[in-house]
């Protein structure tokens, strides 16, 4: 299921708790750069977030470089790095909610 389908399902169910959205995740990303290691099909994507954090995603591509789809390799490396943004932003949201409940010092 892609981001748009998940978002539609959440809206259809009228779920209203604080949450992250695909737009929020994309807004956190300010730059992306790619590197393909010479002689390989290994593609690396490095995303830079608003606060300067760098996240890396990789795609190992096809066994035969002649069969490798470079655009797909870049997209899959990007997707892997973007998934890490969800994890970090999810942690931050959970921490904010935890603190709002008066649990400033930790615990459950």
């Amino acid at each position: 299921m892609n981001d748009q389908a998940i978002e539609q399902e959440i809206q259809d169910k009228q779920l209203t708790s604080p949450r992250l959205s695909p737009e929020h995740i994309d807004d956190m990303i300010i730059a992306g750069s790619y590197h393909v290691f010479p002689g390989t099909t290994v593609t690396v994507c490095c995303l830079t977030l608003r606060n300067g954090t760098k996240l890396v995603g990789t795609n190992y591509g096809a066994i035969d470089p002649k069969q490798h789809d470079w655009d797909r390799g870049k997209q899959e490396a990007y997707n892997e790095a973007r998934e890490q943004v969800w994890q970090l932003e999810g942690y931050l949201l959970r921490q904010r909610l935890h603190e709002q409940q008066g649990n400033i010092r930790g615990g459950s």
Side-chain angles (χ1 to χ4, degrees):
M1 188 176 289
N2 65 29
D3 287 344
Q4 290 77 21
I6 293 169
E7 182 67 20
Q8 187 60 53
E9 183 177 339
I10 289 169
Q11 290 180 14
D12 291 347
K13 292 180 178 181
Q14 299 179 351
L15 301 175
T16 59
S17 295
R19 63 187 178 80
L20 301 173
S21 68
E23 294 79 18
H24 173 82
I25 298 303
D26 292 337
D27 191 47
M28 293 297 103
I29 301 168
I30 62 168
S33 60
Y34 300 88
H35 178 74
V36 177
F37 289 92
T40 75
T41 58
V42 177
T43 303
V44 176
C45 172
C46 180
L47 297 181
T48 302
L49 305 186
R50 291 193 173 281
N51 68 0
T53 297
K54 307 281 193 279
L55 300 170
V56 174
T58 57
N59 175 265
Y60 295 99
I63 301 299
D64 180 356
K66 293 181 234 165
Q67 299 298 313
H68 185 58
D69 181 337
W70 299 104
D71 290 331
R72 184 177 177 112
K74 285 176 62 174
Q75 184 62 50
E76 289 181 11
Y78 174 89
N79 291 345
E80 185 177 292
R82 185 175 178 268
E83 184 61 32
Q84 295 173 53
V85 181
W86 279 100
Q87 293 171 13
L88 292 174
E89 289 295 310
Y91 171 82
L92 288 174
L93 176 58
R94 182 65 192 109
Q95 183 63 31
R96 285 187 202 110
L97 294 173
H98 179 74
E99 291 171 0
Q100 287 174 4
Q101 295 170 354
N103 299 314
I104 305 299
R105 299 196 78 193
S108 53

